[in-house]
Amino acid sequence: MLELTGADVTGLLGKVDLVDVVREVFLAHANDRTVLPEESCLRWTNDQGESCRSLNMPGLVEIDGRRTAGTKIINASLGNPDRGLPRAGGIVLLFDVTTARLVCSMDAAHISAGRTAAVSVLAAELLWARPARSIGVVGAGALAEAHLDLALRRWPSVREVRLHDQVSERAVRLAERLGDTYRTVAFDVASSAERAVRDTELIIPVTTTTTGYIPADWIAPGTVTVNVSLDDLLPDAFSGADKVIVDDWSLVAADTTRLLGRMHRSGDVLPPPRHRTPADAGRPAPAVEVAAELCDLISGAATGRRSADERIVVNPFGMSLHDVAVAGKLYHDHLGGQDQPGRQDHLEPHDQGH
């Protein structure tokens, strides 16, 4: 089995257009060329009273006639930053699709951060009224840096980035690092989360909070909010949005801990149109109606923004298909990994995505 370190992966990721990869994954998902099981999650409290968890996120995706199967295992402890360690880390494992044997292990941190940022950037490009000039980011860790670095490389329109972190020194250091590279952008270290996001055209919260704090009235007309962390928005930010978009409804509906999943379980969320049942037609109007999944927008099955003033919230739960596809791209295209003979040309019906 080939093993790649974080440094190996970082070097290879520079050769890959991550936004293009996640777009192709969404198209495959729209066309039932994926298998996306529910993730499994092990949670515990450690001997320091800190919350820990281990996620196992398998998936299979077929792009351009080539199938890639694998899983991401990523563990986290909320106390790690105080120890000088990354909050989360793990591996992506790739499988031979014929023998099911492990063929490659890759450090997951940069793949995970890169594909997460790519989904957010793609969602913004699909849903903004015009290329963003101002971005508000809450949280100044590795995920914030991955988002801003990718966005600023792609969007010359951006003139202002507002950053807030509970540890202000982190926001200062990130602003300084990015400011050295992106000299046409003004970086403002905001004194509060409200100051960071109010009146910006794109809001990206990337924190570890489990308590919401962003209300609807912080979000200006026309703004796209990509709820990366999943718990930063308050319920009225969803109910006050003109559109709510998710990456994969089945993952949101199965979740018992994050806000939108909890709201669904309490009857406050209507699924996107192609996931609705006859019983949904007779329900009282819920607080939130999910308009579409991202794959529907990319495939043309659903329409995104209809007016420049719409407030749009994107709630990307996180799909292992993207991690597996990115890792597969590195393995096959840049490391000489070979497909094995005996490939099937269809997915078994009971295994198909959605």
Side-chain angles (χ1 to χ4, degrees):
M1 181 177 68
L2 180 64
E3 296 184 29
L4 302 183
T5 67
D8 296 330
V9 172
T10 301
L12 290 168
L13 282 174
K15 303 177 181 181
V16 176
D17 184 336
L18 293 176
V19 176
D20 185 61
V21 174
V22 300
R23 183 191 297 273
E24 289 300 316
V25 171
F26 279 124
L27 281 173
H29 201 46
N31 293 314
D32 291 326
R33 306 305 298 174
T34 63
V35 181
L36 183 61
E38 290 183 21
E39 67 180 37
S40 63
C41 181
L42 170 66
R43 298 183 185 275
W44 70 94
T45 301
N46 68 15
D47 55 357
Q48 304 298 310
E50 300 158 346
S51 296
C52 301
R53 56 102 169 123
S54 177
L55 297 176
N56 183 17
M57 305 167 63
L60 183 151
V61 59
E62 181 173 330
I63 297 174
D64 295 331
R66 183 175 70 202
R67 296 195 303 170
T68 303
T71 193
K72 179 174 78 169
I73 300 172
I74 192 158
N75 296 359
S77 170
L78 292 184
N80 281 351
D82 292 336
R83 301 182 181 94
L85 298 171
R87 182 185 66 88
I91 57 174
V92 178
L93 300 173
L94 295 178
F95 312 145
D96 184 296
V97 294
T98 300
T99 66
R101 292 175 63 85
L102 291 169
V103 293
C104 189
S105 168
M106 299 186 190
D107 183 86
H110 293 289
I111 291 174
S112 187
R115 66 85 171 161
T116 302
V119 170
S120 298
V121 164
L122 177 61
E125 292 175 353
L126 289 168
L127 292 163
W128 59 23
R130 60 184 176 184
R133 296 168 300 179
S134 59
I135 305 174
V137 177
V138 185
L143 200 52
E145 186 163 5
H147 274 76
L148 286 171
D149 188 53
L150 179 60
L152 295 175
R153 278 190 281 119
R154 288 177 66 90
W155 303 337
S157 59
V158 177
R159 289 293 174 264
E160 179 187 24
V161 171
R162 296 189 211 154
L163 277 168
H164 173 74
D165 193 284
Q166 286 185 327
V167 180
S168 60
E169 292 80 5
R170 279 202 295 255
V172 170
R173 289 194 298 269
L174 179 56
E176 289 174 347
R177 286 198 302 275
L178 293 172
D180 288 341
T181 302
Y182 302 102
R183 297 182 179 276
T184 62
V185 179
F187 292 89
D188 176 10
V189 177
S191 58
S192 68
E194 180 179 1
R195 174 72 183 86
V197 305
R198 188 181 280 277
D199 297 327
T200 56
E201 294 171 323
L202 175 62
I203 297 172
I204 306 175
V206 278
T207 74
T208 60
T209 188
T210 56
T211 304
Y213 59 91
I214 298 178
D217 65 4
W218 289 8
I219 303 174
T223 297
V224 176
T225 302
V226 185
N227 190 33
V228 178
S229 312
L230 300 180
D231 277 333
D232 295 71
L233 270 60
L234 291 167
D236 75 326
F238 283 102
S239 59
D242 296 291
K243 275 193 177 67
V244 174
I245 309 292
V246 300
D247 53 355
D248 181 82
W249 172 250
S250 65
L251 294 177
V252 174
D255 181 60
T256 60
T257 59
R258 303 298 189 180
L259 176 59
L260 199 61
R262 297 199 311 269
M263 292 177 70
H264 166 64
R265 290 173 183 276
S266 64
D268 293 328
V269 178
L270 188 65
R274 66 191 180 89
H275 290 276
R276 293 173 194 169
T277 67
D280 290 321
R283 291 173 51 189
V288 177
E289 180 176 339
V290 176
E293 295 172 301
L294 284 172
C295 64
D296 298 324
L297 301 182
I298 294 167
S299 70
T303 301
R305 179 178 292 276
R306 293 183 181 274
S307 76
D309 289 336
E310 282 188 318
R311 295 176 176 89
I312 298 178
V313 172
V314 185
N315 196 85
F317 189 84
M319 298 165 65
S320 60
L321 299 175
H322 293 126
D323 299 275
V324 170
V326 171
K329 184 82 171 172
L330 302 185
Y331 178 70
H332 290 290
D333 292 358
H334 301 289
L335 294 170
Q338 299 297 315
D339 292 319
Q340 297 299 315
R343 171 189 169 277
Q344 295 178 0
D345 288 324
H346 68 281
L347 303 180
E348 296 298 328
H350 67 279
D351 277 342
Q352 288 186 349
H354 311 305

